[in-house]
Amino acid sequence: MHGRPRKPQKPVDDASIAKAAKLRVLQAQFFQNHHDKIYAKEALEISAKLLETNPEAYTAWNYRKLAVEHNLRSETDPDAIKAVLDEELRVVESALRRNFKCYGAWHHRKWVLNKGYSSVDHEFRLLDQFQKADSRNFHAWSYRRFVAALKNMSEEEELKYTTDMIETNFSNYSAWHNRSVLLSHLLKQKIEGFTPREKVLTEEYELVHQALFTDPDDQSGWFYHFWLLDQTVTPGAPVLVSSWPAHGSDLFVSFKGNLDGGVSSSFTSFCSDKGAFPLIIYFNQSVGGINSSTVTVKHLFDKNEDLIWVPLATNNSGNAQAWVTFLRFPDVKDDSLKAYPVEVKVGHSQCAFTVSLRSIDSKHGEGGSDMEMIVWKDDSFHASEPLLLSPPVVSLDQATTNKEPEQIDSRWHEETLANEIALFQELLSEINCKIGKLTLARLLRAHDKMIYKMPFADEKTHSKEVLDLFSDLMKLDPSHSRYYKDEHSLVLMEQVVSNRESLLTYCWKYGEAHPSYLCNPICLRLSKLSLSRIGSFENLLWVQMLDLSHNELWSIEGLEAMQLLSCLNLSNNKLRSFTALEPLKLLKSLKVLNISYNEIGAHSIDTSRYLFSSPLSHTVGDDWNIDAYVTDGVKMNYWEAAVIFKGLYLTQLDVVGNAIVDEKFNLFLTHILPSLVWLDGDRVY
Amino acid sequence: MDAGQSSLSPTTSFDRDRHVRFLKMMFHGLPSGYQEQEINHLTLAYFVISGLDIFGALDQVALVWSPIHIGEQTRPMTVFQRGFMPVDKEEIANWVLSFQARPKSKADLENGQFYGFHGSRTSMFPPDSSNVLIHNNSHLASTYCALAILKIVGYNLSSIDPDSILISMKNLQQPDGSFMPIHTGAEADLRFVFCAAAICFVLNNWSGIDREKAKDYILNCQSYDGGFGLVPGSESHGGATYCAVAALRLMGFIEDDLLSKMTSSSIINVPLLLEWSLQRQTIGGGLQGRPNKASDSCYAFWVGGVLKILGAHKFLDKEALCEFLLTCQSQYGGFSKFPGQLPDLYHSFYAMSAFSLLEEPDLKSLCVELGVTDFAA
């Protein structure tokens, strides 16, 4: 009789023969009783014996529930009821002694306790025994939370229990976990004795230091410390950190043509042929609900306009760190360079800038032909004349924020972080501990972020030290090196773009002549930095030309905030798929794209994603018929490309050096991108 | 390792042939140690059949004795040689289908019971004279395992009436979005949210689950450290984290290769989850289910699977993980929980699945979030 696993034919020894036989007899009797709905004492004893031998037989637990319900139906004497339920507790207890990881047994106990006839104190005594035997048993910890709630135990008392458990053994992660859950509640509800928050957290830091310094290699304390840090620096209300046009800037908008380079800084000029320019606001965290009623924009062009704000994110959550709208300006040929003030207010944040309009004949200026190819070679760029005007790096006075009165004292924040930093710097000078280094790196970054928020603070940051820590970690813990590498990249990027002097060394002027869509010919060249991720977009909103070639990028998450981008070089990176390029879908100004020499098509592509209905499938429009171009099995590869490219108006694209590229694919690209003039350096006709 | 365990000393490479032999043995009969798991018979069958499928060995399992004629022509003699042939997939499918609880009529679907699959023969009772089930013990986990097996053996699932399973499955979803495994009452947690999602995915019909509610429940289970607990507020656990992430993936709330896309705008906290999962790799190379616990072979799948779904499996030290798993490899085939112990079916199946995630040659690749091979999925 094949086709199914079954009972052994040759039991190993006599003991197991006997046990198997006993189980079989019990089981047969039990199921007979269950079937016949017999709930008498003898029948119950049989099920108890079965469960004591095999607690996993969940049908027997359910039988006992039916039996209890049946036997108590007409019972009103509280003592009799209690006796019935006590018997249940006894069976559970002996089942648990046999296997305390049995879900069914713990559940049965909760079911009995919920009847409300049993002594909760007895449960605590039992738990103490179990938790001594196995202090990490998560069933016991869950059950503990259950009975504590049933007894209406104060959370303070339970917190005390975790203190005892932790003091017995610092490595008890379960106790630390329960502590964090309890404290979260206590802090949130501002229970007496748990305010001010700062005082409580300071005491917790002291407790966890004991654990960390006793055994720095134990992860439990470090995770708790991580939680504390999170409690310390939890961002409050969202704050506007950056915008384009930048706060305090004077923007020159020219329509129909190029700006004359002598008049203004390239960093604050924009040309438009659509009678509008983008207004981008960037927050310190992802926010939702940005619309014309939550954001006030005061400007003189068109007072009655209801602005439409669009979140810059590729999912449909409606939340994003960056939001964009378009401000229309009047069609006046006003060459007086009159400055129109614009004010933007969001919650407690605001920013203000002025806009001057110029209309310029498109033939005027230094413009090259729009049909000309952008060449990403070193000799296309020069460190032109000293750039007198600086790029609008987010500065301390950038977005003025009104402090909310409830905000936690930032001095305490800073002191706490400084104190933690000093402590771990000292610890790490004595021992080499990877999770310690990671914690220190986190503390330093949190500290830098806080400094950055405080006006008039010393601008000096710890980037160098953090970079060293991540470099160390890559060597110390090579198995996670790619993870550290990502962190390293983000800090490096921050270091490069966070102050004017540094940023200017990466700014190059492109060519002598440039096409009209590129009114700002300054290229930010962040190539050959071995970046695997990119960040710090709040400082880069002004960039129209970006060179990220020769890095190790495998994601360009966040790039969608750079709405002004018209030329982008991503060649010689490690991008694996077209879906990794999803942010490009939102860059409507993009004209020139270089993704040559990546790994697109070299790895298998997830083909199931488009095959079943999911909330995500909205990302694939149904207005475009791929079958017209592709008829065989490679459809999926092409789908992903189509999804990215179909909304773009690229004039120049480089894709050579990716596994997916062949003649057929290139043909497909010219079909899907009718605006294309250059493909891999060849003219498209 | 002490002398008494020397017979279990680890072998140095993945011993494919012995593992197939181990699973074949289990296919033909389970040792007595499994009697306590009788109630989960279908689940045990899933381990064996899905395991054989990973090896592509379902085609050589059934035991046959074929006659060979030897001897001189004057005194012919026939002996039987042992050989293997493909399993009878139809027979397996029929066996699995025999565990299905069927409602008497459509109206029954509103009676609050769940009409899925029973875990074992003993928990099934024949219907009474009027064809009504006296005790219906169908269980979500058994239903998931039953459908997984049917898919593996290539059974045409469209011949199953999805309504009887799915409409009645709705009765199991709790107001908070979690699922109870059985309508007579049991603990509700992430394990059964996963089962429910997998059942809908396999049947390609989502009417049995309120996905928004299920999603909210899962999100409530993510702990501050990034992992997921079985119920909201509980300690993060490797198995629960798999259930959460796989269920979100099956329901389409997170995408494949999440990391190269929008991690910051994802509905779960991906950076924290990534870090928690990666920190589960211990100095010895194995993966643990929770901090400060010993490495256990099955978490090479639970935690490794989470990393695979996130597109972050590459961050693991794969060599070290292989080495750890091989210390759990038994010389008789199969894997044990910890190094040097006797192998068991559960840990064997998940260690074998982990080797598939590690791209061991000649193993079929897995549809991680469903727990069956890509081919079957």
Side-chain angles (χ1 to χ4, degrees):
Chain A
M1 193 169 67
H2 58 261
R4 72 195 73 164
R6 59 180 178 208
K7 290 290 174 187
Q9 291 162 323
K10 286 175 273 178
V12 186
D13 52 49
D14 292 347
S16 64
I17 295 175
K19 194 185 152 197
K22 188 182 157 202
L23 252 183
R24 255 197 299 272
V25 171
L26 280 173
Q27 210 158 270
Q29 290 174 322
F30 158 70
F31 278 109
Q32 192 59 50
N33 290 333
H34 188 20
H35 180 259
D36 299 340
K37 301 187 179 174
I38 297 174
Y39 303 121
K41 194 159 175 268
E42 297 73 30
L44 277 166
E45 267 165 20
I46 286 167
S47 74
K49 267 187 201 149
L50 175 64
L51 285 167
E52 282 159 12
T53 330
N54 180 16
E56 294 288 339
Y58 58 78
T59 310
W61 291 117
N62 287 333
Y63 161 79
R64 290 192 72 92
K65 291 189 186 81
L66 293 174
V68 168
E69 300 287 4
H70 177 266
N71 293 338
L72 292 184
R73 199 164 293 154
S74 51
E75 190 59 73
T76 49
D77 174 17
D79 286 339
I81 295 173
K82 193 165 177 304
V84 167
L85 294 173
D86 280 350
E87 170 63 8
E88 294 307 304
L89 293 180
R90 189 196 63 75
V91 176
V92 172
E93 192 174 327
S94 45
L96 284 176
R97 288 193 192 283
R98 179 159 163 77
N99 175 7
F100 58 48
K101 287 184 175 179
C102 177
Y103 285 92
W106 285 106
H107 181 262
H108 195 67
R109 199 165 188 93
K110 280 188 189 172
W111 182 81
V112 173
L113 262 284
N114 267 329
K115 301 260 172 217
Y117 288 91
S118 314
S119 148
V120 179
D121 291 330
H122 174 260
E123 298 306 291
F124 277 109
R125 282 194 296 276
L126 184 73
L127 271 171
D128 283 344
Q129 282 177 32
F130 274 119
Q131 292 190 294
K132 265 201 193 96
D134 177 4
S135 62
R136 296 295 305 280
N137 185 323
F138 67 78
H139 300 279
W141 280 100
S142 290
Y143 188 66
R144 183 166 196 101
R145 281 193 282 272
F146 165 78
V147 282
L150 204 64
K151 199 191 169 189
N152 251 332
M153 283 265 285
S154 72
E155 287 179 317
E156 290 100 307
E157 254 177 277
E158 281 296 278
L159 192 72
K160 173 82 181 51
Y161 178 75
T162 67
T163 313
D164 294 347
M165 290 296 272
I166 289 167
E167 280 170 356
T168 321
N169 178 6
F170 279 135
S171 302
N172 191 336
Y173 187 77
S174 303
W176 287 109
H177 168 79
N178 211 30
R179 189 173 186 85
S180 69
V181 172
L182 291 165
L183 257 182
S184 297
H185 290 174
L186 290 167
L187 288 171
K188 204 178 277 169
Q189 290 157 15
K190 299 191 175 141
I191 302 287
E192 203 187 325
F194 291 86
T195 53
R197 189 185 171 85
E198 291 77 11
K199 182 174 151 279
V200 179
L201 291 177
T202 306
E203 285 166 10
E204 292 304 303
Y205 274 114
E206 278 162 20
L207 175 69
V208 79
H209 289 157
Q210 287 180 42
L212 294 178
F213 281 78
T214 309
D215 181 5
D217 287 323
D218 186 320
Q219 285 191 11
S220 336
W222 291 106
F223 268 104
Y224 190 71
H225 189 274
F226 180 25
W227 176 77
L228 277 179
L229 178 61
D230 202 44
Q231 295 297 304
T232 309
V233 299
T234 303
V239 172
L240 184 64
V241 288
S242 157
S243 66
W244 192 91
H247 178 63
S249 66
D250 302 308
L251 175 72
F252 292 85
V253 175
S254 64
F255 31 107
K256 295 189 187 109
N258 285 355
L259 261 193
D260 179 292
V263 175
S264 68
S265 154
S266 299
F267 295 108
T268 53
S269 60
F270 185 77
C271 37
S272 162
D273 53 2
K274 296 193 182 85
F277 64 90
L279 168 59
I280 307 157
I281 51 178
Y282 197 92
F283 295 88
N284 64 340
Q285 53 189 288
S286 204
V287 296
I290 297 292
N291 55 46
S292 55
S293 59
T294 52
V295 183
T296 346
V297 181
K298 270 199 228 163
H299 61 103
L300 293 172
F301 311 132
D302 182 358
K303 283 170 201 154
N304 298 323
E305 192 180 11
D306 238 2
L307 293 174
I308 294 168
W309 287 94
V310 179
L312 294 170
T314 50
N315 65 3
N316 62 346
S317 67
N319 290 336
Q321 253 186 298
W323 288 74
V324 68
T325 189
F326 285 86
L327 292 183
R328 303 188 60 78
F329 48 81
D331 189 16
V332 285
K333 302 243 177 331
D334 179 4
D335 279 351
S336 64
L337 283 184
K338 182 180 172 207
Y340 297 94
V342 178
E343 260 182 59
V344 183
K345 258 191 176 170
V346 198
H348 293 280
S349 311
Q350 56 186 12
C351 66
F353 52 89
T354 70
V355 180
S356 309
L357 304 171
R358 293 192 69 186
S359 111
I360 291 172
D361 183 357
S362 59
K363 289 181 188 106
H364 177 82
E366 52 181 315
S369 163
D370 282 10
M371 296 289 120
E372 210 159 285
M373 195 168 67
I374 295 284
V375 182
W376 297 100
K377 285 203 174 128
D378 278 352
D379 52 16
S380 303
F381 298 98
H382 35 114
S384 76
E385 65 274 15
L387 298 156
L388 292 173
L389 291 158
S390 305
V393 168
V394 176
S395 62
L396 303 171
D397 52 340
Q398 141 78 210
T400 48
T401 57
N402 294 337
K403 275 204 171 169
E404 282 180 77
E406 273 193 306
Q407 237 175 6
I408 298 180
D409 180 25
S410 54
R411 180 160 297 280
W412 173 79
H413 271 168
E414 207 212 327
E415 277 172 11
T416 305
L417 288 177
N419 183 27
E420 293 301 297
I421 289 170
L423 204 65
F424 291 126
Q425 279 169 335
E426 194 192 318
L427 178 70
L428 289 169
S429 68
E430 285 161 26
I431 56 148
N432 220 4
C433 158
K434 64 176 184 172
I435 194 158
K437 285 186 187 236
L438 190 59
T439 304
L440 180 57
R442 279 207 187 104
L443 284 165
L444 291 168
R445 291 202 72 188
H447 184 262
D448 284 358
K449 270 196 188 132
M450 180 159 310
I451 290 289
Y452 183 70
K453 265 197 287 186
M454 294 204 320
F456 315 116
D458 182 1
E459 265 192 77
K460 195 170 166 284
T461 65
H462 295 92
S463 310
K464 172 85 177 54
E465 190 177 349
V466 178
L467 288 173
D468 288 346
L469 283 167
F470 281 121
S471 299
D472 270 7
L473 281 167
M474 280 187 246
K475 283 182 224 133
L476 202 64
D477 183 15
S479 51
H480 298 149
S481 66
R482 290 200 51 181
Y483 170 73
Y484 301 127
K485 169 108 192 144
D486 280 2
E487 296 295 309
H488 187 273
S489 297
L490 291 173
V491 181
L492 182 66
M493 184 106 179
E494 202 173 281
Q495 190 188 36
V496 162
V497 304
S498 63
N499 75 69
R500 292 185 175 86
E501 293 68 36
S502 155
L503 185 54
L504 277 176
T505 60
Y506 293 90
C507 289
W508 298 71
K509 188 166 188 295
Y510 176 76
E512 293 304 326
H514 50 264
S516 65
Y517 54 76
L518 191 64
C519 45
N520 171 3
I522 300 299
C523 180
L524 181 64
R525 301 187 70 199
L526 299 176
S527 54
K528 297 176 187 150
L529 292 173
S530 72
L531 298 171
S532 59
R533 293 296 284 267
I534 43 176
S536 302
F537 298 104
E538 66 272 25
N539 284 325
L540 304 176
L541 300 179
W542 56 274
V543 177
Q544 295 183 30
M545 190 173 193
L546 178 63
D547 184 357
L548 286 165
S549 64
H550 297 275
N551 279 299
E552 294 163 33
L553 295 176
W554 53 282
S555 165
I556 54 168
E557 183 186 341
L559 197 74
E560 65 277 8
M562 297 174 70
Q563 285 289 299
L564 271 51
L565 268 188
S566 58
C567 302
L568 175 61
N569 187 355
L570 292 169
S571 67
N572 291 285
N573 275 292
K574 295 187 169 170
L575 297 163
R576 292 163 58 106
S577 66
F578 281 108
T579 37
L581 297 174
E582 226 167 341
L584 299 185
K585 284 197 301 189
L586 293 163
L587 298 178
K588 298 299 182 194
S589 308
L590 200 63
K591 294 270 192 271
V592 175
L593 175 65
N594 187 343
I595 48 170
S596 59
Y597 301 100
N598 275 282
E599 298 168 10
I600 299 171
H603 307 273
S604 67
I605 292 174
D606 173 27
T607 51
S608 63
R609 191 154 79 252
Y610 304 122
L611 297 180
F612 68 97
S613 69
S614 88
L616 293 162
S617 50
H618 74 281
T619 54
V620 184
D622 53 5
D623 52 333
W624 195 82
N625 181 12
I626 199 159
D627 295 320
Y629 300 95
V630 193
T631 47
D632 61 16
V634 293
K635 206 148 116 183
M636 284 305 160
N637 296 325
Y638 285 63
W639 250 123
E640 301 209 331
V643 168
I644 301 302
F645 287 136
K646 67 174 180 168
L648 298 179
Y649 297 92
L650 299 182
T651 57
Q652 181 180 333
L653 175 64
D654 291 90
V655 291
V656 70
N658 285 292
I660 190 176
V661 174
D662 57 17
E663 251 174 64
K664 202 163 103 192
F665 186 69
N666 285 356
L667 185 68
F668 164 77
L669 286 176
T670 56
H671 281 300
I672 192 173
L673 287 165
S675 53
L676 209 57
V677 181
W678 299 99
L679 180 58
D680 288 327
D682 292 330
R683 191 71 203 250
V684 178
Y685 292 101
Chain B
M1 201 173 292
D2 64 42
Q5 291 174 322
S6 60
S7 64
L8 299 169
S9 64
T11 35
T12 47
S13 63
F14 185 73
D15 201 338
R16 182 191 162 86
D17 293 345
R18 284 173 202 256
H19 295 312
V20 173
R21 202 179 312 153
F22 173 84
L23 289 172
K24 280 185 197 165
M25 267 166 47
M26 296 290 173
F27 187 89
H28 293 289
L30 287 170
S32 60
Y34 293 94
Q35 60 199 5
E36 291 189 3
Q37 291 294 334
E38 197 276 339
I39 196 105
N40 298 318
H41 202 165
L42 263 181
T43 306
L44 297 174
Y46 158 75
F47 291 148
V48 174
I49 292 168
S50 191
L52 285 165
D53 185 35
I54 292 174
F55 286 97
L58 276 176
D59 287 347
Q60 33 168 310
V61 169
L63 199 57
V64 288
W65 295 97
S66 41
I68 309 176
H69 304 287
I70 54 168
E72 297 149 29
Q73 286 208 328
T74 47
R75 288 174 53 208
M77 194 173 113
T78 305
V79 295
F80 289 86
Q81 187 185 24
R82 207 167 71 133
F84 293 104
M85 58 176 269
V87 290
D88 184 341
K89 292 185 174 179
E90 205 184 316
E91 193 184 345
I92 294 183
N94 287 335
W95 178 72
V96 169
L97 289 168
S98 71
F99 288 102
Q100 191 176 3
R102 292 189 174 83
K104 193 183 154 207
S105 69
K106 283 264 173 201
D108 275 0
L109 296 178
E110 304 298 330
N111 67 8
Q113 298 192 19
F114 170 51
Y115 293 94
F117 287 76
H118 288 86
S120 76
R121 199 64 71 206
T122 51
S123 63
M124 285 179 86
F125 297 107
D128 66 12
S129 50
S130 55
N131 206 23
V132 173
L133 291 174
I134 295 177
H135 295 291
N136 169 4
N137 287 312
S138 340
H139 194 279
L140 269 183
S142 313
T143 307
Y144 158 68
C145 290
L147 294 175
I149 297 172
L150 290 173
K151 220 161 158 52
I152 292 166
V153 298
Y155 179 78
N156 180 7
L157 285 172
S158 61
S159 37
I160 284 190
D161 171 21
D163 286 349
S164 76
I165 297 177
L166 295 174
I167 294 179
S168 65
M169 194 172 87
K170 282 174 131 173
N171 297 322
L172 301 179
Q173 190 164 21
Q174 304 300 297
D176 63 1
S178 65
F179 272 85
M180 239 165 32
I182 184 168
H183 63 261
T184 46
E187 68 285 357
D189 60 46
L190 274 183
R191 290 173 300 159
F192 307 115
V193 175
F194 165 75
C195 290
I199 288 164
C200 290
F201 184 88
V202 171
L203 294 173
N204 194 20
N205 180 334
W206 291 91
S207 60
I209 179 169
D210 181 335
R211 274 185 281 185
E212 282 300 319
K213 270 191 175 175
K215 178 188 79 180
D216 291 343
Y217 182 77
I218 296 173
L219 299 189
N220 281 334
C221 292
Q222 188 169 26
S223 179
Y224 68 88
D225 57 16
F228 289 78
L230 272 177
V231 295
S234 62
E235 184 183 346
S236 299
H237 181 277
T241 305
Y242 168 85
C243 290
V245 175
L248 287 174
R249 172 83 180 104
L250 290 169
M251 293 192 288
F253 288 113
I254 55 175
E255 286 184 79
D256 186 54
D257 193 13
L258 195 58
L259 281 195
S260 62
K261 287 166 217 129
M262 302 277 120
T263 54
S264 59
S265 53
S266 178
I267 53 168
I268 50 172
N269 188 330
V270 176
L272 275 183
L273 168 60
L274 176 62
E275 170 151 355
W276 182 85
S277 307
L278 287 174
Q279 294 291 355
R280 301 286 63 77
Q281 187 161 32
T282 62
I283 296 168
L287 294 170
Q288 60 190 184
R290 290 185 281 155
N292 288 340
K293 301 273 280 187
S295 295
D296 172 336
S297 57
C298 71
Y299 292 107
F301 176 79
W302 299 124
V303 179
V306 167
L307 288 167
K308 194 79 167 190
I309 295 171
L310 294 179
H313 202 258
K314 60 198 168 211
F315 291 136
L316 284 175
D317 184 340
K318 294 187 181 184
E319 241 169 75
L321 178 56
C322 270
E323 272 173 36
F324 168 79
L325 288 173
L326 288 175
T327 62
C328 299
Q329 179 173 261
S330 153
Q331 61 166 329
Y332 308 114
F335 290 87
S336 55
K337 177 183 174 78
F338 299 130
Q341 297 183 338
L342 282 167
D344 67 80
L345 193 46
Y346 166 88
H347 288 92
S348 299
F349 173 68
Y350 287 111
M352 291 163 187
S353 300
F355 268 102
S356 164
L357 295 183
L358 288 163
E359 291 166 13
E360 174 72 23
D362 300 328
L363 291 187
K364 289 200 211 166
S365 66
L366 281 184
C367 173
V368 194
E369 60 273 23
L370 202 56
V372 299
T373 58
D374 268 331
F375 184 76

